[in-house]
Amino acid sequence: MTLDVSRIQARVAELLAEYAIPSASIGVLHGGEFTELAVGVKNVETREAATTDTVYQCGSMTKTWTALAFMQLVDEGKVDLDEPVRTHLPGFAVADPEASAKVTPRHLLHHTNGIEEAYGDPGEGDDVYARMVENIADAPQVFPPGRTHGYSAALGYAILARILEVHDGARWDDIMRHRLFEPMDLTSTNSLHEQVDEARAATGHLIRSLDEGPIVTPVRHLPRAFGPGGNITSTSREVLAMAHLLLNDGMAPSGKRVVSAESIREMLRSRVPIPDPHMFGPAWALGLIVCDWHGETVYATDGSTIGQNARLRLLPDSNTAVVMLTNGGPRESFHHKVFNEILADLGTVTIPDPPAPDALNLDLSRYEGVYERPGTRYEVSAEGGKPYLTLVLDPTQAEFLHKPDRIRYELLPVSETHFLMPPADPLEDTRTVAIYDFTNGTAQYLHTNCRVNPRQS
């Protein structure tokens, strides 16, 4: 089946207006053929149209790129995924001596290392990842290595980047260009914001209300500390070049081998369970999320910066990849609607609906408590026999977003450990929450949006 590009463009335009997202650039790789389209404007102030050459920030999709470069080190026999990080960074240490000796690259790739992201201010210099590794000597464990899954926004992949730097004798940014961007003939993909062609760059937008509409983000790019985990910018077509590697055993669209077939297979098959399987998928592979769409295995890699978002879905069974880059949101319901329009046109499997709540008789005292990480606090309580979650926002953030600093949500049970969290305002989607690990009689962790928050009281 072929894609009805005109129909998809019209439908995307409707959805962009409905969700107050300025633009979207979409790429489809299906049966070896590339299709691209763009809708909307790069900046609501200039009203300049977005095109398929517009460059967007990819956010945490960067982690998949970093994972691919790291697997090249594996191909070269320079690293082993299951040897301690200390093998390559002898001074590597965190507050817990056992974790210091035990953490491996696989833990970092899987987000099961458990190290709190307490890396201080490492600056913006070329030594940023070396400084991050030095700065975590006193970083506590959120959980013991391998105990559960807890997403690491910056630190885990910065440690991987530092291992790459030590072996290659170069900074991570140059390593990515030498190992991936140049061999793949990617001329629009960069890791440093100063390398981005501003004339082609999309501007990020935030939305505080539908009446106000999207506003230009006050923060144009993430700090350099997020580099290996979040700072790559690219176009939809060049993201699909990365997807091509994953769908074709490490081969670039040009036919050049970039990563070994064995390393690609290892990236796809090495998995750990995600405590909240309903938001994205039931497992995490090496730099990829593993989804279950009606019994078919689909891989995902997503990213968000402050006002830009990237979503990529890989469907190996139909040799298909779909990417969408936007300069507003994130809204998962928007991405789901657009992807399902495209996937239905192609005759492939589509994204399943979220689970329905179930009338369960739960002992709510086992869930009640405070679950907290630096910068994030959730309070779970019971009232009238129903569970509720209160999200506590930083007052400055709440003021900027025009939100109260305490937002209360009802939790609708799906199982004994999983809940739906309906939106509190029209700018939100229904989210999912896992509250789990009753080792000590009460839940020890709250997991949502891939982040884990340990019980504090």
Side-chain angles (χ1 to χ4, degrees):
M1 299 181 71
T2 59
L3 196 63
D4 185 339
V5 175
S6 296
R7 187 189 72 80
I8 296 297
Q9 282 183 313
R11 179 60 177 144
V12 171
E14 291 176 358
L15 290 169
L16 288 173
E18 177 184 340
Y19 283 86
I21 295 173
S23 75
S25 178
I26 296 168
V28 179
L29 173 61
H30 182 64
E33 298 294 325
F34 290 86
T35 303
E36 302 168 87
L37 60 100
V39 184
V41 297
K42 295 193 296 185
N43 183 309
V44 296
E45 295 176 354
T46 67
R47 307 303 300 175
E48 185 179 357
T51 73
T52 53
D53 286 329
T54 298
V55 176
Y56 292 79
Q57 295 174 10
C58 294
S60 288
M61 187 184 287
T62 301
K63 292 178 173 67
T64 309
W65 292 96
T66 299
L68 284 164
F70 198 85
M71 294 307 290
Q72 289 180 326
L73 277 188
V74 175
D75 287 341
E76 294 159 11
K78 295 177 180 177
V79 299
D80 186 293
L81 294 176
D82 298 306
E83 62 192 3
V85 167
R86 277 184 170 174
T87 305
H88 309 280
L89 306 178
F92 176 80
V94 293
D96 183 337
E98 184 176 350
S100 301
K102 186 176 179 181
V103 169
T104 68
R106 197 183 299 272
H107 286 130
L108 300 171
L109 289 160
H110 275 157
H111 299 278
T112 57
N113 61 87
I115 305 168
E116 183 57 79
E117 302 217 17
Y119 52 79
D121 179 6
E124 293 289 316
D126 287 348
D127 64 347
V128 57
Y129 310 120
R131 289 174 62 85
M132 289 175 75
V133 172
E134 293 171 1
N135 289 355
I136 59 173
D138 296 324
Q141 291 299 119
V142 180
F143 55 84
R147 174 72 172 271
T148 187
H149 170 276
Y151 186 77
S152 174
L155 179 61
Y157 278 68
I159 299 170
L160 293 168
R162 183 57 188 153
I163 295 173
L164 277 160
E165 289 183 335
V166 167
H167 278 286
D168 283 15
R171 63 181 186 171
W172 172 78
D173 304 279
D174 296 328
I175 291 168
M176 298 303 287
R177 183 160 302 283
H178 173 71
R179 284 185 170 273
L180 294 176
F181 305 160
E182 290 176 351
M184 295 172 67
D185 300 321
L186 307 183
T187 59
S188 302
T189 302
N190 296 289
S191 61
L192 290 166
H193 65 86
E194 56 264 31
Q195 296 173 337
V196 177
D197 181 354
E198 288 298 320
R200 295 174 56 197
T203 300
H205 297 79
L206 303 177
I207 179 167
R208 301 182 293 192
S209 73
L210 289 172
D211 290 337
E212 180 184 45
I215 61 171
V216 171
T217 177
V219 182
R220 295 302 180 98
H221 55 82
L222 295 176
R224 195 167 175 187
F226 284 84
N231 276 357
I232 282 180
T233 58
S234 193
T235 63
S236 56
R237 188 177 185 88
E238 294 199 356
V239 170
L240 285 181
M242 183 255 283
H244 191 281
L245 288 185
L246 294 163
L247 289 174
N248 293 275
D249 291 333
M251 302 291 286
S254 65
K256 183 175 184 176
R257 175 161 300 285
V258 178
V259 185
S260 74
E262 177 57 29
S263 281
I264 295 296
R265 287 193 288 269
E266 183 68 10
M267 287 181 69
L268 301 179
R269 71 190 174 205
S270 176
R271 305 173 184 179
V272 294
I274 300 176
D276 169 19
H278 301 299
M279 181 67 183
F280 296 107
W284 205 284
L286 301 181
L288 294 162
I289 306 165
V290 184
C291 310
D292 181 348
W293 290 4
H294 309 288
E296 184 172 320
T297 298
V298 174
Y299 297 91
T301 176
D302 291 352
S304 296
T305 61
I306 305 173
Q308 301 199 42
N309 298 278
R311 301 289 184 269
L312 173 65
R313 299 294 177 269
L314 304 162
L315 291 73
D317 288 359
S318 57
N319 194 24
T320 298
V322 183
V323 61
M324 181 161 61
L325 310 176
T326 65
N327 58 345
R331 290 292 299 277
E332 294 310 316
S333 60
F334 168 79
H335 292 97
H336 286 192
K337 288 176 182 178
V338 173
F339 280 165
N340 277 346
E341 293 278 352
I342 293 168
L343 296 169
D345 250 19
L346 297 176
T348 68
V349 68
T350 55
I351 304 170
D353 293 330
D358 197 356
L360 299 174
N361 184 21
L362 302 177
D363 178 357
L364 299 183
S365 66
R366 303 174 73 208
Y367 305 86
E368 289 184 287
V370 174
Y371 303 83
E372 190 171 18
R373 294 274 299 280
T376 306
R377 179 183 174 95
Y378 297 99
E379 299 172 359
V380 177
S381 59
E383 184 179 319
K386 295 181 179 180
Y388 292 88
L389 180 149
T390 299
L391 170 62
V392 182
L393 293 176
D394 173 80
T396 303
Q397 179 189 18
E399 181 180 5
F400 175 76
L401 295 174
H402 296 176
K403 290 179 178 289
D405 58 9
R406 294 177 64 85
I407 305 175
R408 189 171 186 244
Y409 301 88
E410 183 177 357
L411 295 177
L412 305 178
V414 173
S415 70
E416 290 189 354
T417 53
H418 300 110
F419 300 83
L420 297 178
M421 190 167 74
D425 70 45
L427 296 176
E428 296 179 346
D429 297 317
T430 295
R431 286 172 284 173
T432 53
V433 178
I435 308 176
Y436 64 105
D437 191 345
F438 298 91
T439 304
N440 299 321
T442 56
Q444 298 302 297
Y445 301 104
L446 183 150
H447 193 281
T448 187
N449 195 31
C450 293
R451 273 76 170 175
V452 68
N453 302 271
R455 172 184 288 274
Q456 301 298 329
S457 64

